[in-house]
Amino acid sequence: MFNLLLKRLRLTPPKILSLGFIILIAIGTVLLALPISSQEGHMSWIDALFMATSATCVTGLAVVDTGTGLSTFGQLVLLVLFQLGGLGFVTMATLITLVLNRKISLKERLLLQESMNQNSMQGIVRLIRRVLIYSVVIQLSGALVLALRFLKDMSAGKAVYYGIFHSISIFNNAGFDLFGDVHGPFSGLTRYAEDPVVNITAMLLIFLGGIGFIVLSDLVDFTKRRRLTLHSKVVLTTSAFLIGAGALFFFWLEVYHSLKPLHTGGKIMASFLQALTPRSGGVTTLDIQALRESSQFLIIVLMFIGAAPGSTGGGIKVTTFALLLAAVYSRIRGREDVVLFRNRLSKDNVYRAITMTLLSLLLVVAATMLLSITEQADFLAVLFEAVSAFGTSGLTMGLTPELTEAGKILIVILMFVGRTGPLTLAYAIRPKKDKQLYRHPEGQIMIG
């Protein structure tokens, strides 16, 4: 199917990926704009576009409360969108191809390589099979645990539905929840701040969805191979550092503030969840608006870093962050090579990390400046919203439901770029590469 598109339209993998997300968003917008999707029987086109983009880009920002504003049909539309958006439409198309017993062509393998952020095509179809299996097993397990817990609060049918919806939402780092129908609009998981089952299940789902399918596959093979790849080592080590340090700082900042009403166990669980959820989880057991400004800024930093490549999360990615730290360390020590776990990294990787970070930073700065013009809100709330949209985190300081139409369009663009990736989008829209036949003379400028 993709082979035909590539031949007739001469579409490159980055263009196919970007176009695929646009098509999903367009279909979702039309479906959500239907009267059957809304509790009130109507949703404006701009709100439908916002919700469809947020679901497809697995963000979780919502201008309409999912539990009270959408009908069951509208909620199911969102569920399908963030399932497709989380796993990737390319992965789902490959599933159909495998079910039909069709051979995966070379160009389709190139597209899969691009969608999974892989450096080679070797074993890519095997990886896709594993992605689908892992996703189904993890999401069903999460749904079962959550459904059994929710049986204490609601009917059996509703508990099963809530378990399935929230397991898929949290694993795909979508951040949508239905508890507005139970605890009030935009209430999130605040009533479960001290519930160990909900907290631990949510944290495991966010973590497994955020480390990436490549790392999951590597961990499954660890019993046979007795070693991890460099990528997995960097992802797991950096993730553990960010989670541990983030939880520790959050606990220190909020122990006598927002965490004060909770018991000791609740304080610890809430601290770890708030350290994990900015990686794109989007669910929270605390009121973000009630946190200290220092805690809100800590969450902004964690959202900007995001999850791992090849995962359902956004941000600049933990590997990019680790590579930048390693490059700074090497420069300070006067070393030419950038080394991680006794492996020298290519200059191309370093340049890519720098480019990705600068593009992302410039995008967030520009969007924040524009939002500060269009929205009547504190600067920190505007910055928080912009980084949350770019990092597809879905957390908000309450600005999302109050956005103007211009603000909604800006956030839609941020969510789309954050999900597809600034570099992927840049490669998709750049002109055809011409061979450079000359080099400019070398010059010197002062640095520092």
Side-chain angles (χ1 to χ4, degrees), residues 78-284:
L78 283 188
L79 188 148
V80 172
L81 287 176
F82 56 66
Q83 179 71 88
L84 291 176
L87 294 180
F89 73 95
V90 179
T91 303
M92 302 307 295
T94 304
L95 171 63
I96 297 172
T97 302
L98 293 173
V99 168
L100 295 176
N101 202 26
R102 279 188 59 237
K103 185 179 179 180
I104 308 295
S105 70
L106 176 62
K107 290 183 177 179
E108 287 169 342
R109 289 170 189 266
L110 284 170
L111 185 56
L112 290 170
Q113 176 190 339
E114 180 72 25
S115 68
M116 296 301 295
N117 285 321
Q118 289 286 73
N119 294 321
S120 78
M121 291 184 293
Q122 185 177 0
I124 190 66
V125 176
R126 176 172 169 267
L127 176 61
I128 294 300
R129 286 195 183 101
R130 287 191 166 198
V131 165
L132 297 169
I133 293 171
Y134 299 159
S135 300
V136 170
V137 171
I138 292 171
Q139 290 177 101
L140 283 178
S141 301
L144 177 61
V145 173
L146 290 175
L148 290 174
R149 170 59 188 86
F150 294 151
L151 276 173
K152 297 180 179 179
D153 303 328
M154 55 192 73
S155 63
K158 192 171 185 178
V160 171
Y161 176 56
Y162 272 47
I164 294 172
F165 185 95
H166 291 95
S167 179
I168 296 174
S169 175
I170 297 172
F171 174 74
N172 286 291
N173 286 194
F176 288 97
D177 71 86
L178 303 176
F179 287 102
D181 187 41
V182 181
H183 305 136
F186 300 105
S187 57
L189 301 179
T190 52
R191 296 292 181 91
Y192 297 98
E194 296 185 277
D195 190 299
V197 176
V198 174
N199 276 268
I200 293 173
T201 303
M203 285 189 279
L204 284 173
L205 287 172
I206 293 171
F207 179 77
L208 293 174
I211 61 175
F213 299 111
I214 303 164
V215 179
L216 280 176
S217 179
D218 207 16
L219 288 174
V220 171
D221 287 339
F222 182 74
T223 53
K224 298 178 182 177
R225 299 167 57 187
R226 293 295 175 182
R227 64 185 180 87
L228 295 173
T229 61
L230 174 63
H231 173 80
S232 296
K233 289 178 182 178
V234 173
V235 168
L236 292 173
T237 304
T238 310
S239 297
F241 168 75
L242 290 172
I243 294 168
L248 184 62
F249 272 107
F250 190 88
F251 183 88
W252 176 58
L253 292 169
E254 295 292 333
V255 65
Y256 298 115
H257 189 60
S258 62
L259 296 176
K260 191 174 182 180
L262 306 180
H263 298 301
T264 303
K267 288 183 174 72
I268 295 172
M269 286 189 296
S271 297
F272 273 98
L273 183 61
Q274 308 324 306
L276 266 164
T277 197
R279 301 186 62 203
S280 284
V283 293
T284 179

Side-chain angles (χ1 to χ4, degrees), residues 29 32 43-52 63-64 403 408:
T29 301
L32 289 175
M43 185 187 299
S44 68
W45 282 100
I46 185 66
D47 286 348
L49 172 64
F50 189 99
M51 296 293 287
V63 289
V64 176
L403 287 171
K408 291 175 184 177

Side-chain angles (χ1 to χ4, degrees), residues 65-82:
D65 180 65
T66 312
T68 58
L70 297 181
S71 64
T72 302
F73 177 81
Q75 293 166 3
L76 291 175
V77 169
L78 283 188
L79 188 148
V80 172
L81 287 176
F82 56 66

Side-chain angles (χ1 to χ4, degrees), residues 407-420:
K408 291 175 184 177
I409 294 296
L410 282 170
I411 295 298
V412 163
I413 295 172
L414 272 177
M415 290 189 292
F416 178 76
V417 177
R419 182 65 181 99
T420 57

